[in-house]
Each structure stands twice: as C-alpha cells, then as structure tokens.
Amino acid sequence: MSAEIPAEALQLRSLVRADQTLELFLDVVPVPPPGPDEVLIRVEAAPLNPSDMGLLFGGADMAAAMASGSAERPVITAPIPDAAMRGLAGRVGTPLPVGNEGAGTVVAAGESPAAQALLGKVVAAAGGGMYSQYRPVNVALCLELPAGATAIQGAASFVNPMTVLGMVETMRMENHSALVHTAAASNLGQMLNRLCPEQQIPLVNIVRKPDQEETLRAAGAVHVCNSASAGFMAELIAALTATGATLAFDAIGGGRLASQILTAMEAAAGAVAASTGAGGYSRYGSAVHKQVYIYGSLDRGPTELVRSYGMAWGIGGWLLTPFLQKAGLARVAQLRDQVAAGLTTTFASSYTAQVSLPGALSLGAIAGYGRQATGSKYLILPSHVA
Amino acid sequence: MSAEIPAEALQLRSLVRADQTLELFLDVVPVPPPGPDEVLIRVEAAPLNPSDMGLLFGGADMAAAMASGSAERPVITAPIPDAAMRGLAGRVGTPLPVGNEGAGTVVAAGESPAAQALLGKVVAAAGGGMYSQYRPVNVALCLELPAGATAIQGAASFVNPMTVLGMVETMRMENHSALVHTAAASNLGQMLNRLCPEQQIPLVNIVRKPDQEETLRAAGAVHVCNSASAGFMAELIAALTATGATLAFDAIGGGRLASQILTAMEAAAGAVAASTGAGGYSRYGSAVHKQVYIYGSLDRGPTELVRSYGMAWGIGGWLLTPFLQKAGLARVAQLRDQVAAGLTTTFASSYTAQVSLPGALSLGAIAGYGRQATGSKYLILPSHVA
C-alpha cells in the first residue's frame, strides 16, 4: 500500500435498530488492501440515486428525523413505522454501507493483470458501499473512464445509463417497438430522451408539471403528456396511437397512472384497428399485449388498477440486476462500452448540489435528496472534508 | 338436409342499442347447411359460464333489467352505464349470438371425411353462438364424446377443462411448481382439485365462505384458506411455505386479494430462506418471481396493489384463447384427449338448474346465473321448448 493511503477512513452506514429507529452515521473503517482481482478506489464522487434511498432510509419517517453528533461526525436518527419495520427483520442490528455506484482514482491494485492495468486510472464502479472514502472493488465491476473524463462525470455511469439501455433492450426482447416513460424529466428520463432518438425509438414522456413539459420539449422531445392537465387522457391516447407504444416504464408506482397508461394503450389499439379496418368488437378487448413495468416507487401508496383494458395486459416490478443477469455478460460488456463512449453526451448526468460525507448527513441535504423530486439530484464527494 | 331439420330455429342474441340499452331476445335464424368441413349440431346442452357473461350482458345493470315479450319469445332490456358503454362501440346495433360452448347431436355433415365421420355422433363444440337450437361448427372445434356420454355431460367439456389444464401448463412453462387458486369452490376450482393431485401438483385453495371450505376439504383438498377469516394471512403464508407456490390464478380480480397473495408469497419466500440459512437482507425483496394471473372478474372493482413484495412480481390478465395459441395445435389435441378420457370423472361439471332458451331469458334465471356465485351454475337445453 502506498504511503498516501490511510489505514482507516470514513464510510457512511445505515443501521436499523431493534427499537424501530434508523441511525445514519459515519463509521471509521479499516482500509483493506485489495484482493488479487480487486482495485482500491479513492472514491471522489457518488450520486444519491432514488435506488439508494430504500437501503439508506429503511422506510423511516425522515420528516421526523433528528440530528445529533458533531459537524465532522453527524448522526441522524428517525423513527421507523410499524409497516416498514416488518420488511427489515433481516438487517436489524447490522450497520450497512450504502451507495450503489461512484467513481474515483485507483490507488492500489491486486496482482492480476486486469487489476494492475487500472492502477492510477479514474474508474467508475458499481460496487455498493460507495459512500466511502476508500472502497475495494472487483475489477469486473469497474469501468475505466475515457481519457480526460472526471470522477464527477463518471460517478453515475452505471445505474441510470444501464437502466435506460435495459429499458430499450427489454422493449426489443419482449417485441414492443416504442416506449412510454413516467417521471420523464428526471436525469434518467432526459437520458432516455437522448438515447431513443439515436436508436429511432418513438418515446412518449409523461410528466407532472408544466416546467417539466417545457424542459423536455426544449430538449427535442416529440411526445410529452402532463398527467396533471385536463386533457391528459386524450393527449396520451393520441401519442400512443402515433407511436404504437405498448410498453411503459413507470417510476411512480402508486396511484392510478399505470392503469391510465394501460387504458390509453387499449384505446390506441382500438383506434388503430378502426382506422385500418381491422376492427370489430372483441369481448376480451384487444389482443395486443400491453405492459407496464414499475421500476421505482416515487409514490409509495397502493397501485390502483381499474381493469378496463381487456385481458392482454401485465404489470410488474422491473429491476436492473435481474435484467443484467438475463442479458448475459457479453451483452452487458457491449452496453458498458456504449456508456463509456457516450459518457459526456448521451449518458451525462447533472446535479443540483454537491456535498461531503458529513454534508450528506445534514437535515437540509436529506430534505433535498430525500424527496426524490425531479430536478433535485445530489452528489457526494467522499474525499472532501466538510 | 334431412326432413327433420327445420329451415329456421331459435338463437339467443345480445344487442347493445345506441340508446345505451341492452336487449336480449330470441331471434329466428335460418338453419344453414354445413360447409364442407362443418357439421350441423342440434344443440342439446350449453352452460352459462362466467366467461359468457361479458358478451351476454355487455356490462349492463342487470339489477335494473325489465322483461317484456311473450313466454315463448321473452325480451329482456337493461340500461348500460356510461363507463361500460365506452368499451362497447364496436358492437352497437349488431345483435350477437352468445354461448362459448355446448354439446349435441350431429344431424348433418359436410362432405369432408372428418365431418362425415361425426354424423349421428354426440359432440361437444366450442363454436360460439351455442345458445342456439342448431349451430354449424367447423370439425376442428368439435370433440366427439366417448361412447355413452350425454350432451349434458359434454356441454362444459371445453372452457373449464381446458382452463384448468391451461393453468397447469402455464405453471410448467413459466417454471413454477405449485398453484394458488381463488374462488376455489367453483366448478372450475373443484375440477382443479381433482386434476392437481393426479399430477402431483400442490394446490392452495382460497375461498370466501366456511361452507366452501368444507366442500373442498370433504373432497380431499389439503390447503384451503378462507379469505374472510381473521387468520387468513397467517394460514396463507403457512400454505405457501408448505407448497412453494409462486403462481396464482385469480377469478376475482378486484380488491386486495391478488396483492395479499403476492405479500404472502414474499413472506413465504423469506420463511424458506431463513429456515435454509439462505437468508440475508435484500433491499429489493426476494429474487423469486411471484405471479398472479387474473382470469375472471367476479369483483369488477379496481385491483389494489399494496406493493410490499420486492420487485420480482407480476400481475396480468390470462385468457384461454391466447394460451391455446401459445401451446400449439398438437399440444391442444393432446389436452382435448385428456378431457375426453376424464369427462365424467376429473372434468365432470354439475349444475344447479337447467333452463330452456326462453327460460334463460327470465328475470329469475338471470338473477341466478348473473350473480356468478359459486354453487349457482345454469345449463341451457336449447332443444327444449318451455
């Protein structure tokens, strides 16, 4: 180990206590030497993604969070409701590291040629526990950034880019030809709006606010529907008729939006059948399979399905990891190369705030990234000392 | 055509009028000669299945139905609510024949050898429009009943038997090893309770009433859970843990039952992981895919999904016809042979009432079969004159 690598460093941890309290704190953990096939990354940037929030907050009521500890070692505690506690039995008493992805400089490497090749390089990694100052990661989980790219540019090069590529791959694997996306003005949604035109894939964007509509249209989006507007269903049916989209990815989860999308898809299928003369009444609705995948839970409330779209429909959970397993290592490697090539263009992310590790554990920052609002995206810089 | 075949005969028709009124009546239609590959069936028995109700009633409010016409030619009218009317545009003004399946004697046959071979035989047919006195049907849709079997025994030999076989086939095709079934005391549910033990498939039955519980237990069912009982969730989790069932077929559709099943499947997956030491907390829930197919709508209200079962879940519509297309002609022929062999045993149906065609259009009969209650199953005998 080089002299500049400390023996111990900070790591953000999330603990569910048996007394139904969540505790977030910075732990001092040993910096281990990398294994033969590992590299030790000095983590310089790691995003607070919506997909990190479940592990970080454990369903606690963050509106009731309290701060204690020191400025350098803040501690956040928050009560966990009974309903959330039931799903957490497996993690009670074990402080868990957090942070799906991040990027930084390889400061030590194991003996394998693949590990040695990364020494001194800036890499992105989806290793988990990335809200750490130092993190050993298997080389298979690392992506060497293109020359000149910074850790901040590469910090979010896994979750969002692979998710949008996964959506497009899923669309093709399941024989759809166009996509619907909700919460479409998010970082991920904007990425999808760059990717889809490149691949000639029609995309219907659903947002909830007029300024989000404008953001997407200004970026060139063709189909943007505002679910809060009075003409929403008519606009959505028109967009679905124009695009033929029968697959949606929904980041919201709760409420009636998924069901409205299926209803509009069925109406669009009927409109297409009528215009082509292929119509005719079927008591079971159209034979076109209509699918909504829920990949997020911005609304944690119940999903309400008003089943008025025949029998050829499905709704279900969609998660990146099982998709990657289904796609296979070779295909994933191709997709990673695509991401590297488009890191500062198609797959670029932007942030509204950068915080240090202690800064991430302030009530103000938690109120900012915890609400997972579009246009409120935080980046942790673990090497910075607040 | 033989002298005993009339030139015209009765057929039950369902008409959606532009004034949002449903009209059910008996039409006098010509009895056509069979085409080369068709047989003419004198229909002797046809069941009123739940799957016939959508076409028959068109979503009309049957509690507000009125009777007119004569005893021989009754006419039923009922108002159609706005919400139901939207899905019916394709059938306004066209009186549609009804009746997915039935059985009777082949009284005339086309010139093809397959058609000629059925002349004089008692056959079951899934030809549609079976609430008719005479019906020409393509031989491919006919099943010759075993010697000695009556039309009444064969009347329901398609929809329910092929549906239970389809459930088992779907289970195998999608890599599950046990089944959950709701509304499990129905004719279809009882059939499934005979089929599954024969094939060594563990089956979890969900019913809503104590007497239905007793019916199934008396018939040998091992796992029976009553969704109206206080201990329902605990009992369901225990049954799912014992059977490992991760696939459910739900006839109810509305309400929270489908979501409860997914919740219990997730709890069972956790219990199994804990007992085998394969546990450990995952923020995304178990990796086991949990699926509910809705194949009926006994509750037409919204389906409410309280998403607390991770991300590896799906819910969707399931319909016999697309399943048969997926299974392929050769496999379907094998399944039809299975049905014929078990017509009076595994695949037997029973009825609470038999009615003539005019009798089927009485307000009393409609109140009986229209509520689709378990233990209230009607059979039309179209050749009978009331």
Side-chain angles (χ1 to χ4, degrees):
Chain A
M1 303 275 268
S2 140
E4 70 192 28
I5 302 171
E8 296 182 325
L10 294 179
Q11 179 171 71
L12 193 155
R13 296 224 174 191
S14 170
L15 170 64
V16 170
R17 299 195 319 221
D19 66 356
Q20 292 201 203
T21 303
L22 171 79
E23 187 177 313
L24 302 176
F25 63 101
L26 300 180
D27 206 359
V28 177
V29 297
V31 176
D37 231 19
E38 287 184 337
V39 295
L40 182 68
I41 302 174
R42 183 180 67 221
V43 184
E44 287 145 5
L48 283 147
N49 287 321
S51 51
D52 291 308
M53 299 302 150
L55 184 59
L56 183 65
F57 294 144
D61 175 9
M62 297 312 290
M66 308 230 291
S68 59
S70 64
E72 296 76 30
R73 298 288 173 83
V75 175
I76 299 286
T77 52
I80 302 176
D82 290 350
M85 198 69 193
R86 274 196 287 279
L88 301 172
R91 57 173 288 193
V92 170
T94 308
L96 299 172
V98 191
N100 286 323
E101 65 178 344
T105 305
V106 173
V107 294
E111 63 208 30
S112 82
Q116 284 295 321
L118 292 178
L119 195 57
K121 299 286 173 58
V122 180
V123 300
M130 297 301 286
Y131 302 156
S132 304
Q133 291 183 315
Y134 290 85
R135 184 76 184 149
V137 176
N138 190 291
V139 289
L141 300 174
C142 294
L143 175 73
E144 182 183 342
L145 297 188
T150 66
I152 289 177
Q153 287 173 324
S157 68
F158 190 80
V159 178
N160 279 359
M162 293 304 274
T163 298
V164 294
L165 287 168
M167 290 173 176
V168 166
E169 290 280 294
T170 300
M171 181 198 83
R172 296 207 173 100
M173 291 193 303
E174 301 185 3
N175 298 311
H176 302 273
S177 59
L179 286 174
V180 180
H181 187 230
T182 73
S186 66
N187 252 325
L188 192 151
Q190 294 185 37
M191 211 174 268
L192 198 59
N193 270 285
R194 293 189 291 269
L195 179 65
C196 284
E198 287 172 20
Q199 306 208 2
Q200 283 83 50
I201 296 165
L203 173 64
V204 177
N205 297 279
I206 299 177
V207 297
R208 291 177 286 187
K209 292 180 184 163
D211 62 310
Q212 296 167 342
E213 233 177 306
E214 282 159 33
T215 302
L216 287 176
R217 288 195 201 282
V222 179
H223 302 286
V224 188
C225 303
N226 184 340
S227 60
S229 86
F232 173 60
M233 284 303 284
E235 285 164 26
L236 183 58
I237 292 168
L240 294 173
T241 306
T243 57
T246 48
L247 175 63
F249 284 90
D250 174 35
I252 295 173
R256 288 202 173 187
L257 184 57
S259 192
Q260 286 178 309
I261 293 169
L262 292 171
T263 301
M265 285 176 175
E266 181 71 358
V272 170
S275 73
T276 60
Y281 173 74
S282 162
R283 74 202 90 168
Y284 298 121
S286 82
V288 178
H289 185 75
K290 299 160 289 291
Q291 180 73 37
V292 176
Y293 285 119
I294 295 177
Y295 77 96
S297 275
L298 296 180
D299 178 346
R300 302 182 65 84
T303 311
E304 198 174 329
L305 307 178
V306 181
R307 307 182 319 286
S308 57
Y309 19 82
M311 294 298 274
W313 61 273
I315 183 166
W318 190 93
L319 201 59
L320 181 56
T321 308
F323 160 74
L324 296 175
Q325 284 162 355
K326 197 185 293 183
L329 280 179
R331 182 65 185 141
V332 169
Q334 290 175 337
L335 298 178
R336 293 295 276 147
D337 289 346
Q338 271 191 49
V339 174
L343 192 64
T344 58
T345 53
T346 309
F347 300 107
S349 287
S350 62
Y351 303 92
T352 47
Q354 299 182 350
V355 290
S356 64
L357 275 175
L361 295 188
S362 75
L363 291 178
I366 287 171
Y369 62 76
R371 64 196 171 101
Q372 301 177 41
T374 293
S376 176
K377 179 95 177 176
Y378 279 59
L379 185 70
I380 299 181
L381 309 180
S383 310
H384 285 222
V385 178
Chain B
M1 305 275 268
S2 139
E4 68 193 30
I5 302 171
E8 296 181 323
L10 294 179
Q11 178 173 71
L12 193 155
R13 296 225 173 188
S14 170
L15 169 65
V16 171
R17 299 195 317 221
D19 66 356
Q20 293 200 202
T21 304
L22 170 79
E23 187 175 312
L24 303 177
F25 64 100
L26 300 180
D27 206 359
V28 176
V29 298
V31 176
D37 230 19
E38 286 184 337
V39 295
L40 182 67
I41 301 173
R42 184 181 66 223
V43 184
E44 284 144 6
L48 284 146
N49 287 322
S51 50
D52 291 307
M53 298 301 149
L55 183 60
L56 184 65
F57 294 145
D61 177 8
M62 298 311 291
M66 308 230 290
S68 59
S70 64
E72 297 76 30
R73 299 288 173 80
V75 176
I76 299 288
T77 51
I80 301 175
D82 290 351
M85 198 67 193
R86 275 196 286 278
L88 301 173
R91 56 174 287 194
V92 170
T94 308
L96 299 172
V98 190
N100 286 323
E101 65 179 344
T105 305
V106 173
V107 293
E111 64 208 30
S112 81
Q116 283 294 320
L118 292 178
L119 195 56
K121 300 284 172 58
V122 179
V123 299
M130 297 301 285
Y131 302 157
S132 304
Q133 292 183 313
Y134 289 86
R135 184 75 184 150
V137 176
N138 190 291
V139 289
L141 301 174
C142 294
L143 176 72
E144 183 182 342
L145 297 189
T150 66
I152 289 177
Q153 288 174 324
S157 68
F158 190 81
V159 177
N160 278 1
M162 293 304 276
T163 298
V164 294
L165 288 167
M167 290 173 176
V168 166
E169 289 280 295
T170 299
M171 181 198 82
R172 296 208 174 98
M173 291 192 307
E174 301 185 3
N175 298 312
H176 303 273
S177 59
L179 285 174
V180 180
H181 187 229
T182 73
S186 65
N187 253 327
L188 191 151
Q190 295 187 37
M191 210 174 269
L192 198 58
N193 269 285
R194 293 189 292 268
L195 179 65
C196 285
E198 287 172 18
Q199 305 208 2
Q200 283 86 47
I201 297 165
L203 173 64
V204 177
N205 296 280
I206 299 176
V207 298
R208 291 176 286 186
K209 293 181 183 163
D211 62 309
Q212 295 168 343
E213 234 176 305
E214 283 159 34
T215 301
L216 287 176
R217 287 195 202 282
V222 179
H223 302 286
V224 187
C225 303
N226 184 340
S227 60
S229 87
F232 173 61
M233 284 304 284
E235 286 164 26
L236 183 57
I237 292 168
L240 294 173
T241 305
T243 57
T246 47
L247 174 63
F249 285 90
D250 174 34
I252 295 172
R256 287 201 174 186
L257 184 57
S259 192
Q260 287 178 308
I261 293 170
L262 292 170
T263 300
M265 285 176 175
E266 181 71 357
V272 170
S275 72
T276 59
Y281 173 75
S282 162
R283 75 202 87 166
Y284 298 122
S286 81
V288 179
H289 185 75
K290 299 160 289 291
Q291 180 73 36
V292 176
Y293 285 119
I294 294 177
Y295 77 96
S297 275
L298 295 179
D299 179 345
R300 301 183 65 82
T303 310
E304 198 174 329
L305 306 179
V306 181
R307 307 182 320 285
S308 56
Y309 18 81
M311 294 298 273
W313 61 274
I315 184 166
W318 190 92
L319 202 58
L320 181 56
T321 308
F323 160 74
L324 296 175
Q325 284 162 354
K326 198 185 292 182
L329 280 180
R331 184 63 187 143
V332 170
Q334 290 175 336
L335 298 178
R336 293 295 275 148
D337 288 346
Q338 271 191 50
V339 174
L343 191 63
T344 58
T345 53
T346 310
F347 300 108
S349 289
S350 63
Y351 303 91
T352 47
Q354 299 183 350
V355 290
S356 64
L357 274 175
L361 295 187
S362 75
L363 292 177
I366 287 171
Y369 61 76
R371 65 196 171 101
Q372 301 178 42
T374 294
S376 177
K377 180 93 176 178
Y378 279 58
L379 185 70
I380 298 181
L381 308 180
S383 310
H384 284 222
V385 178

